[in-house]
Amino acid sequence: TRSDMKVLITGGAGFIGTNLAAALARAGAELIVLDSLTAQVHGPDADFPAEMRELENCDCVRGDVCDRELVRDLLVQVDAVVHLAAETGTGQSMYEILRYQRTNVQGTCTLVDVVVNERFKNIKKVIVASSRAVYGEGSYACREHGTVYPRGRTMERMSGGRFEPECPLCGLKVEPVPTREDAPFAPLSFYGLTKQVQEQTVLMFGQALGIDAIALRYQNVYGPGQSLNNPYTGLLAVYSGCAFSGAPFKVFEDGLESRDFVYIDDVIAVTAACLSPAVRGLHAVNVGSGVRTSVLEVAELIKRETGSAAPVSITGDFRIGDIRHNVADTSRMRALTGIAPRWEFSAGVRRFVQWAMKAPRVRNELEESLEELRQRGMLGGRRSC
């Protein structure tokens, strides 16, 4: 990152944005951080974190990314944008549709519209936070058909305890394999669809305007500082809340569903590297660890690290739109930035737990969020045989 760079970070008071701002400030960049400080993410009576307000050359602005005049006033001052502002609840996106469309799609289009129509030649690079959700289930290996991309799982199949995806061509059992960036778009949630639109919009207009544009497909980002009160994101936050309250660790499906968990420091290293003048052109890039960890392993690890006596309960419940497995192919990330993930999951969880144990206790409205899904027919349970 150049020390003379001036960067606008939208959604910059969030988990990734706060850490990115600190890293860029240490490198000498000038920053403008825009955030609406929504209660779902930041809690009631939210403000910018004290450590962010104390950064040198960092201007904190509370506002809406859809406010075109505000966005115009901020964009004229910078030469790069890291666009993180978004609503992020996968399940919630399936019924709060207009809210997700407004923030994720309209917010991105507002940024692009200003750059295009105000003819801002000062903007040299735009980085947009995309998501692994654009892939849906992603890549699997079938012994008959090679790499395949299973469709979303149905209520009927999962109600019968058949959680593993099948080959869409022959119906045989398939095994998860790392998903590459050239996998087809197949989002299973409206959130995933908005992420697809966000990244394709930024890459399309990056090409049209001759601006470097990079879509970072973040996997499951975790670590100290993540929101502990947002029930729609953050498996580690949910399970740490169970550990501290003594509530059972409720594990969906059969517990063998898996995710690619990537530690916040690795995410920030890759994101900051993409601001470097050495990274040019148009790119969609997975940002992950390249390692698959089951949800049951997560629950047991949090239980062990916290010393909790709460039981781990495999419920057989499931959410429509959830994927079964996820692991990223990180070859492009390594080639483009020269960065390989440094943090193993067990070490990252230990660091997260150490932080969470000292953090103020907050109420995570998990049960309320699950009840919302249940009322809308999007939360199911396994039938007893």
Side-chain angles (χ1 to χ4, degrees):
T1 308
R2 299 195 322 267
S3 61
D4 63 339
M5 179 172 284
K6 297 181 179 180
V7 184
L8 169 64
I9 307 175
T10 71
F15 177 36
I16 295 175
T18 301
N19 284 274
L20 179 63
L24 296 181
R26 287 194 298 269
E30 293 185 41
L31 305 172
I32 300 176
V33 174
L34 173 66
D35 204 294
S36 61
L37 300 174
T38 57
Q40 179 171 300
V41 176
H42 301 279
D45 304 318
D47 196 357
F48 289 91
E51 59 270 24
M52 174 172 282
R53 287 183 272 117
E54 293 167 2
L55 292 175
E56 290 189 20
N57 298 318
C58 180
D59 184 12
C60 297
V61 179
R62 183 168 190 166
D64 185 350
V65 73
C66 295
D67 181 340
R68 192 181 187 282
E69 292 306 308
L70 173 60
V71 169
R72 183 193 181 283
D73 291 344
L74 300 181
L75 284 177
V76 75
Q77 304 177 53
V78 301
D79 52 26
V81 180
V82 181
H83 181 38
L84 304 175
E87 303 286 355
T88 56
T90 302
Q92 188 185 47
S93 74
M94 297 298 285
Y95 51 89
E96 295 207 15
I97 298 163
L98 289 178
R99 174 180 164 192
Y100 277 71
Q101 182 275 335
R102 183 184 184 279
T103 302
N104 298 10
V105 178
Q106 186 180 334
T108 302
C109 290
T110 300
L111 283 167
V112 172
D113 182 81
V114 170
V115 175
V116 170
N117 290 299
E118 302 292 340
R119 293 183 170 84
F120 282 169
K121 301 296 185 184
N122 52 302
I123 305 295
K124 302 297 191 297
K125 180 173 289 188
V126 178
I127 295 174
V128 60
S130 185
S131 167
R132 68 86 38 220
V134 302
Y135 298 124
E137 276 293 345
S139 302
Y140 288 73
C142 172
R143 65 174 181 267
E144 293 291 330
H145 297 99
T147 301
V148 295
Y149 306 97
R151 294 182 286 268
R153 300 170 295 162
T154 65
M155 174 75 80
E156 181 181 9
R157 289 186 70 245
M158 290 196 288
S159 294
R162 296 165 61 200
F163 298 122
E164 292 292 342
E166 297 173 347
C167 175
L169 302 175
C170 66
L172 290 175
K173 180 182 178 181
V174 290
E175 295 294 331
V177 295
T179 300
R180 294 168 25 137
E181 289 88 351
D182 57 5
F185 289 117
L188 297 176
S189 66
F190 187 60
Y191 166 73
L193 182 59
T194 66
K195 284 289 157 182
Q196 177 185 337
V197 173
Q198 279 188 291
E199 75 159 72
Q200 288 189 290
T201 299
V202 169
L203 293 174
M204 173 188 291
F205 283 98
Q207 182 173 34
L209 298 171
I211 295 172
D212 296 332
I214 303 163
L216 297 179
R217 294 175 180 170
Y218 295 129
Q219 310 298 301
N220 289 66
V221 185
Y222 74 100
Q226 70 183 88
S227 176
L228 296 178
N229 58 280
N230 185 354
Y232 300 96
T233 59
L235 186 63
L236 273 76
V238 169
Y239 284 158
S240 67
C242 294
F244 301 145
S245 67
F249 292 71
K250 293 183 179 180
V251 178
F252 280 4
E253 302 184 17
D254 56 4
L256 301 181
E257 64 274 21
S258 61
R259 301 290 184 267
D260 184 329
F261 293 94
V262 57
Y263 192 67
I264 184 64
D265 289 6
D266 290 330
V267 168
I268 297 308
V270 172
T271 306
C274 287
L275 283 168
S276 164
V279 178
R280 303 294 307 277
L282 309 172
H283 305 279
V285 186
N286 288 331
V287 182
S289 68
V291 176
R292 193 162 57 87
T293 304
S294 76
V295 172
L296 182 57
E297 289 178 85
V298 176
E300 290 175 340
L301 187 55
I302 293 283
K303 177 180 168 73
R304 184 166 68 248
E305 289 293 335
T306 58
S308 172
V312 174
S313 172
I314 299 175
T315 66
D317 289 347
F318 54 85
R319 290 177 295 195
I320 294 299
D322 270 0
I323 61 164
R324 176 63 173 176
H325 299 296
N326 169 47
V327 61
D329 183 312
T330 60
S331 303
R332 185 178 294 181
M333 179 188 83
R334 295 166 187 253
L336 189 68
T337 66
I339 293 173
R342 293 178 51 247
W343 281 83
E344 292 186 359
F345 186 58
S346 58
V349 168
R350 188 171 303 115
R351 184 68 65 84
F352 166 79
V353 167
Q354 291 170 351
W355 166 79
M357 292 179 78
K358 298 175 184 176
R361 294 288 177 264
V362 296
R363 183 172 181 270
N364 188 298
E365 299 178 353
L366 176 63
E367 292 302 325
E368 290 87 341
S369 71
L370 294 179
E371 183 58 31
E372 286 183 14
L373 292 174
R374 189 177 288 109
Q375 291 176 358
R376 289 166 171 81
M378 297 176 60
L379 181 68
R382 183 174 176 175
R383 292 192 298 263
S384 57
C385 298

